[in-house]
Amino acid sequence: MTQAPAAQPPSRRRHDREIIALAVPAFGALVAEPLFVMVDSAIVGHLGTPQLAGLAVAAALLTTAVSIFVFLAYATTAAVARQVGAGDLASAIRQGMDGIWLALLIGAAVIALTLPLAPWLIELFGASDTASPYAITYLRISSLGIPAMLVVLAATGVLRGLQDTRTPLYVAIGGFAANGALNAGLVYGAGLGIAGSAWGTVIAQMGMAVAYLVVVVRGAHRHGASLRPDAKGIRASAQAGVPLLIRTLSLRAVLMIATAVAARLGDTDIAAHQIILSLWSLTAFALDAIAIAGQAIIGRYLGANDVKGAREACRRMVQWGIVSGVALGALIVLARPLFVPLFTSDTSVQDTLLPALLVVALSQPISGVVFVLDGVLMGAGDGRYLAWAMVLTLAVFAPAALLVPHFGGGLTALWGAMTLMMTVRLITLFLRTRSGRWIVTGATR
């Protein structure tokens, strides 16, 4: 007689349901974001090569500017989730509003800098003489949407903290659809060219920000939370965001160094590196979705003074990270013959790409745990440790990567250095979570 498999413990099933309910919609919203640039590129590409080149430079600047301030989402998620766990929804939304007001202030400052400095920034990124006018036009117009983009980040953090990742998914889908329709209508229908693409994106971003604000304002009215700016609260949000800003800048430095080293290796290597980096970024979306669930869940447990629940959730999410990493690594290996030809038909690029891709596949379980623990510590509000850990990781990675051209090994060695970077992150994050010092309970850290 065959023995029936043991049932999962109730707590594990509960954690699984929570993780899935938060991570799946979060993944959809994360994937929708880069589609904005893809739509713009597809529409502007038919205007001509100089226009597309100008868009590429301006979009890179905008993406970098917005990604630097992603702490608006992360810090807000942790702060709001703690208040939710403590049962104080009014304070949760109040803290979320502080993050939104901070986003507006930062956005206004970025506009004030970008408008006059646009020509210098475009020149700094090496745009050609033919592409520069289009890049400047796109950058100046699109910068007007940066406050809306930052509000979207902060408001997304509010809803994630409230354990709601479905609304951000719906808003992202609506914004993507509106962006495509507006771009097509303004670029070709109204004959505005690349300026029409920029205006279409700005309008779509403003529409997304308004949709988020409607949801947050309704919640504020429902729970009696004030919507007025509070200097003390805004300052606290900024202080909580500084360590995460340092972490993000350090991570961006890692990616920039890797790209610079790949460029020094030659055209074949940089082409292969770009393909691998695109794939690596796509797998990061899947793993980051679990991390987002971790931020919301851990913050709520700590706010509710439930240390046992926080530890159990952390342990279960690490298991999810390992399984997801193994699955993604296997998928990369098995799907190589299918997706590599889609990116390039150059056999030299393919030959350079394949061994490095195998390194990426083998490192996915490491990445899975790193993303999860990153999300756990963010949810705990342990930003200061995350900042110093990432600075240390950068200090280890930089010399290892910069020595690759001197000692040989090519792109495979460079991605070996990237795996070293993820391993250092794994060690620092594991030591922190094992120590238990991240566990600080209460409505505020």
Side-chain angles (χ1 to χ4, degrees):
M1 182 175 178
T2 304
Q3 186 175 2
Q8 283 188 326
S11 61
R12 178 178 294 187
R13 290 199 300 270
R14 184 180 72 251
H15 291 316
D16 286 347
R17 286 195 298 270
E18 285 186 330
I19 293 167
I20 292 171
L22 292 171
V24 173
F27 175 69
L30 288 169
V31 171
E33 291 172 9
L35 293 178
F36 270 75
V37 176
M38 291 180 63
V39 168
D40 289 4
S41 299
I43 292 173
V44 171
H46 292 285
L47 294 174
T49 300
Q51 289 90 332
L52 183 58
L55 170 66
V57 174
L61 279 164
L62 288 165
T63 301
T64 299
V66 174
S67 66
I68 286 173
F69 300 114
V70 72
F71 71 83
L72 289 166
Y74 294 157
T76 305
T77 297
V80 172
R82 276 184 177 270
Q83 296 288 354
V84 169
D88 190 349
L89 291 178
S91 294
I93 296 174
R94 175 63 263 176
Q95 288 206 299
M97 285 304 305
D98 292 335
I100 290 172
W101 281 112
L102 177 62
L104 288 170
L105 291 173
I106 293 173
V110 173
I111 290 178
L113 290 172
T114 303
L115 290 178
L117 294 178
W120 177 78
L121 291 170
I122 296 301
E123 183 180 355
L124 183 66
F125 266 58
S128 67
D129 292 340
T130 54
S132 288
Y134 298 110
I136 293 169
T137 296
Y138 190 92
L139 180 60
R140 280 179 165 159
I141 296 173
S142 293
S143 68
L144 301 177
I146 286 178
M149 295 166 72
L150 299 186
V151 165
V152 166
L153 284 178
T156 299
V158 176
L159 295 181
R160 288 174 181 170
L162 293 171
Q163 318 296 297
D164 176 10
T165 56
R166 290 183 178 273
T167 299
L169 172 60
Y170 300 148
V171 175
I173 292 173
F176 171 69
N179 181 59
L182 287 165
N183 269 259
L186 294 174
V187 171
Y188 297 115
L192 296 179
I194 195 169
S197 176
W199 280 117
T201 301
V202 168
I203 295 169
Q205 289 162 346
M206 289 182 173
M208 291 173 67
V210 169
Y212 274 116
L213 289 175
V214 167
V215 174
V216 174
V217 168
R218 282 178 178 172
H221 288 322
R222 188 181 308 119
H223 299 288
S226 174
L227 298 172
R228 289 177 295 184
D230 175 62
K232 183 179 179 181
I234 294 171
R235 187 164 55 249
S237 293
Q239 290 172 346
V242 168
L244 295 180
L245 175 62
I246 294 171
R247 169 200 167 275
T248 301
L249 290 173
S250 300
L251 183 56
R252 295 295 301 183
V254 165
L255 299 177
M256 289 175 66
I257 290 170
T259 300
V261 170
R264 290 177 63 187
L265 295 175
D267 290 348
T268 299
D269 289 86
I270 187 62
H273 174 76
Q274 183 59 36
I275 294 171
I276 295 175
L277 190 60
S278 298
L279 182 66
W280 189 75
S281 300
L282 182 61
T283 61
F285 284 134
L287 299 175
D288 201 28
I290 303 174
I292 287 169
Q295 293 172 34
I297 292 169
I298 294 297
R300 192 188 76 236
Y301 275 121
L302 293 179
N305 298 310
D306 187 350
V307 174
K308 181 183 177 182
R311 287 188 180 276
E312 288 179 349
C314 175
R315 190 178 303 113
R316 187 56 180 159
M317 281 183 286
V318 167
Q319 293 170 355
W320 271 77
I322 294 171
V323 171
S324 299
V326 170
L328 288 170
L331 184 62
I332 290 172
V333 172
L334 295 175
R336 280 183 306 169
L338 297 176
F339 68 77
V340 169
L342 295 177
F343 287 99
T344 179
S345 58
D346 189 327
T347 55
S348 62
V349 174
Q350 292 181 0
D351 292 341
T352 301
L353 183 153
L354 291 176
L357 198 60
L358 183 60
V359 173
V360 173
L362 292 173
S363 69
Q364 285 303 299
I366 296 174
S367 298
V369 178
V370 166
F371 274 82
V372 166
L373 294 182
D374 209 38
V376 166
L377 295 185
M378 283 186 190
D382 202 10
R384 183 171 297 180
Y385 181 84
L386 288 172
W388 288 115
M390 197 63 225
V391 170
L392 172 63
T393 301
L394 174 60
V396 174
F397 168 78
L402 293 172
L403 288 172
V404 167
H406 298 286
F407 289 96
L411 191 66
T412 302
L414 175 59
W415 277 93
M418 288 287 285
T419 301
L420 171 64
M421 179 270 294
M422 294 301 290
T423 303
V424 173
R425 291 186 71 190
L426 174 63
I427 293 170
T428 57
L429 296 173
F430 173 77
L431 291 175
R432 185 63 168 182
T433 52
R434 186 179 177 84
S435 72
R437 294 178 183 174
W438 58 280
I439 299 177
V440 178
T441 59
T444 58
R445 183 177 173 87

